[in-house]
Amino acid sequence: MSCPTTGGPVGEGTTMPPTMLHGLAPEPRSTEDEARLTFLYAFLPKPPVSTSPSLCCAAAADDDKNDRVSRLPDDILLRVVSLLPAKDGARTTVLSSRWRHLWRSAPLVLVDTHLLPGGDGERRPARAGAASRAVTSAVSAALESHPGPFPFASLTCSFMNTADRRLLARWFQLLATKGVDELVVVNRPWSVRGLRLPSSLFSCASLCRLYIGAWAFPDTTALPRGVAFPNLHQLALGCVVMEDKDLDFVLAVSPVLEILSLFGSLTPLRARLTNHSLRCAQFCLSSLEEVAVLDSPSLERFFLWRNWNERHVKISIKIGHVPKLRVLGYLEPGVHMLQIGNTIIKAETKASTHTTVSSVQMLAVQLQFGVRSEVKMLPSFLKCFPRVETLVVESLVLRDPTSSNLSQKIWRKTSSIECVQSHLKTLAFHEVQGDHNEFDFLMFIAENAPKLERMFIVMKNGLTDAERQVVVARVGALYSTNWASKDCKVQLRMSCYPIGGGSWSLQAGSDLSVDDPFEAFPED
């Protein structure tokens, strides 16, 4: 299956690691599945403890045989034990009577990969077998014997099937009673797509962060009244099977949720976001019919990346009450049907108070510059966001190279665009391929943006020497135009991504401390 958004396999523009550390069996998988799995495992949080820490300490004198560590107060020793992997923490109980009770009294970080034979904290077994069964037994033993709390639990290397759901349900019950704070649960093997998570997951009311991968969502219609995630701040759903009602339900029972990341969805979704606490929403590599942010008064960031519609029609993107929305991307004129309030934005739509979102300061768009219908929509999209200061543009490879039908006069006929004339300070143009249509747009910005301070041009990786020379020549020609801004700095670079693509990532998007999740104009 090809993704209509990219014009090629899903994941084009992502960088595949040479070896996949998620340990899946090496049987053939589609490029789409590889891309989804890459996103899934790359986004999983790193455990707060490591099996290979870097230690630095002064060696004791040879004649000093005293056990000075055991003389430390209990609170310090408990802190030491809590920083150890679960297996190593348990081993401290045999050091001496002084340590015997400490493991059970310290918060436990439980990472099942740390329990693998050999202590490998990274690679997971590729197939079900003795290693995965040993890990499952060790997880059960730790959960049963340790009273908690569990600040972090990661369950990613057991091979669960229908017969194991009762065991997993028991794990969730134990984690719920023992105060789990952050939970990662990923199923394997990948091919078991219809296996539902036990509904006891919803008993984990203490959760602040939850990451679910490669599972079918619990049947939310069968859940008892009153279940909720009252403390959940971050939710990531990767490669999940779920229905619209399931997403609606989990948002409704998460009153303080701030960050939602949904990627690699295996079923078409119509997502409607009305959560008043939500600050960041991300949808990528998923089958979507509609994403509507109708009443999200706290939403600051809204990301869409290489999604598609199974019915081969445009994805409806509806924006309603979002007074704090500052960052939006990537809008795609060829893939998205944008609706502001009650108005569907078309090429001839005029800007008005009913068709603009004035809070957006950073906007990212993707389009094929050789397709007239897409370029004609770009000015209309820009007019919807009159106060954009940073504009990120990614030039997509033509899905049909014979379809280039753009007249060079289209930008000459474009009426004024408020954000360009009054607010635009930074333009970052990624994946430049040397097409004259790209440079017609750059010329338009240069001649109409008096406040422009920086123009950052990134050449697509993989261009031939001749193509690079064309880009350089056309960038040089920009200097001869009549610039509206006399102080704009132009910088040309080669993309650092081997197969192209932008710099946005789920990690950067969800990190609210990062001002520029697109790295629109990185400094040297």
Side-chain angles (χ1 to χ4, degrees), residues 114-146:
H114 292 172
L115 305 176
L116 287 167
D120 190 340
E122 294 291 339
R123 294 186 180 275
R124 298 161 176 83
R127 292 183 174 86
S132 60
R133 288 193 296 270
V135 168
T136 300
S137 298
V139 169
S140 293
L143 290 175
E144 295 284 357
S145 61
H146 197 284

Side-chain angles (χ1 to χ4, degrees), residues 369-374 398 401-408 437:
F369 272 88
V371 177
R372 182 179 180 84
S373 60
E374 295 191 23
L398 281 173
T402 64
S403 66
S404 183
N405 56 7
L406 184 61
S407 167
Q408 295 185 21
N437 300 311

Side-chain angles (χ1 to χ4, degrees), residues 389-390 420 423-427 445 449-456 483-491 521 523:
E389 296 180 0
T390 299
V420 175
H423 298 279
L424 189 63
K425 296 179 180 178
T426 297
L427 172 66
I445 296 296
K451 294 191 176 181
L452 193 66
E453 298 173 356
R454 300 178 294 186
M455 181 182 287
F456 182 43
W483 285 72
S485 170
K486 304 306 179 183
D487 300 317
C488 181
K489 297 179 181 179
V490 179
Q491 186 172 359
F521 201 95
E523 302 294 345

Side-chain angles (χ1 to χ4, degrees), residues 117-375:
D120 190 340
E122 294 291 339
R123 294 186 180 275
R124 298 161 176 83
R127 292 183 174 86
S132 60
R133 288 193 296 270
V135 168
T136 300
S137 298
V139 169
S140 293
L143 290 175
E144 295 284 357
S145 61
H146 197 284
F150 289 84
F152 183 93
S154 177
L155 310 172
T156 66
C157 71
S158 294
F159 285 76
M160 294 287 178
N161 54 40
T162 303
D164 296 315
R165 289 185 73 252
R166 183 175 298 178
L167 174 64
L168 186 60
R170 174 62 176 166
W171 287 357
F172 289 155
Q173 291 166 356
L174 291 169
L175 287 167
T177 59
K178 298 177 181 182
V180 63
D181 180 62
E182 186 167 359
L183 176 61
V184 179
V185 54
V186 178
N187 188 37
R188 301 166 65 249
W190 162 252
S191 59
V192 185
R193 301 188 181 188
L195 186 60
R196 285 189 182 273
L197 275 169
S199 58
S200 57
L201 171 68
F202 281 87
S203 65
C204 298
S206 59
L207 278 172
C208 292
R209 296 177 184 85
L210 175 60
Y211 300 77
I212 299 174
W215 283 94
F217 213 71
D219 181 6
T220 53
T221 60
L223 292 173
R225 279 181 169 270
V227 298
F229 289 136
N231 303 300
L232 191 65
H233 286 270
Q234 183 168 358
L235 174 64
L237 303 170
C239 307
V240 294
V241 175
M242 66 187 313
E243 298 179 24
D244 302 343
K245 63 180 178 60
D246 300 321
L247 182 59
D248 292 343
F249 178 86
V250 75
L251 292 176
V253 300
S254 305
V256 298
L257 185 68
E258 293 186 340
I259 300 172
L260 170 67
S261 301
L262 190 149
F263 50 98
S265 173
L266 302 177
T267 48
L269 282 177
R270 299 176 68 89
R272 300 174 69 83
L273 308 182
T274 57
N275 189 304
H276 283 208
S277 62
L278 199 63
R279 298 176 63 190
C280 173
Q282 307 188 97
F283 296 83
C284 73
L285 289 175
S286 295
S287 174
L288 299 175
E289 295 187 357
E290 175 184 284
V291 182
V293 285
L294 302 178
D295 185 17
S296 300
S298 300
L299 191 67
E300 301 169 21
R301 299 178 170 203
F302 181 26
F303 298 101
L304 301 152
W305 191 79
R306 302 193 179 183
N307 303 294
W308 67 92
N309 191 312
E310 297 285 359
R311 296 187 294 116
H312 303 291
V313 297
K314 289 189 175 184
I315 302 171
S316 177
I317 306 299
K318 298 181 179 179
I319 300 178
H321 181 59
V322 286
K324 293 185 179 180
L325 184 62
R326 190 182 73 85
V327 180
L328 172 62
Y330 289 88
L331 289 182
E332 296 189 57
V335 175
H336 298 152
M337 181 179 68
L338 179 63
Q339 178 175 331
I340 307 292
N342 295 321
T343 303
I344 296 175
I345 306 303
K346 299 179 181 179
E348 66 274 11
T349 301
K350 295 183 179 181
S352 71
T353 56
H354 302 293
T355 62
T356 56
V357 183
S358 59
S359 60
V360 174
Q361 297 177 356
M362 182 174 291
L363 175 68
V365 295
Q366 293 174 317
L367 70 156
Q368 302 174 94
F369 272 88
V371 177
R372 182 179 180 84
S373 60
E374 295 191 23
V375 177

Side-chain angles (χ1 to χ4, degrees), residues 34-54:
E34 288 286 3
R36 293 185 182 110
L37 290 169
T38 298
F39 264 70
L40 171 60
Y41 282 92
F43 191 50
L44 297 183
K46 292 184 178 180
V49 300
S50 172
T51 57
S52 55
S54 176

Side-chain angles (χ1 to χ4, degrees), residues 54-164:
S54 176
L55 300 176
C56 179
C57 60
D62 292 341
D63 58 350
D64 187 354
K65 305 298 184 181
N66 295 322
D67 180 5
R68 297 186 179 184
V69 175
S70 294
R71 296 178 184 176
L72 295 172
D74 273 9
D75 58 343
I76 295 179
L77 293 181
L78 286 171
R79 177 62 177 160
V80 170
V81 174
S82 69
L83 294 174
L84 296 173
K87 185 189 296 186
D88 296 331
R91 287 169 176 166
T92 63
T93 60
V94 302
L95 292 176
S96 68
S97 58
R98 177 76 173 80
W99 291 82
R100 194 163 299 147
H101 71 286
L102 292 176
W103 181 72
R104 286 177 51 83
S105 302
L108 181 65
V109 172
L110 180 60
V111 182
D112 58 0
T113 56
H114 292 172
L115 305 176
L116 287 167
D120 190 340
E122 294 291 339
R123 294 186 180 275
R124 298 161 176 83
R127 292 183 174 86
S132 60
R133 288 193 296 270
V135 168
T136 300
S137 298
V139 169
S140 293
L143 290 175
E144 295 284 357
S145 61
H146 197 284
F150 289 84
F152 183 93
S154 177
L155 310 172
T156 66
C157 71
S158 294
F159 285 76
M160 294 287 178
N161 54 40
T162 303
D164 296 315

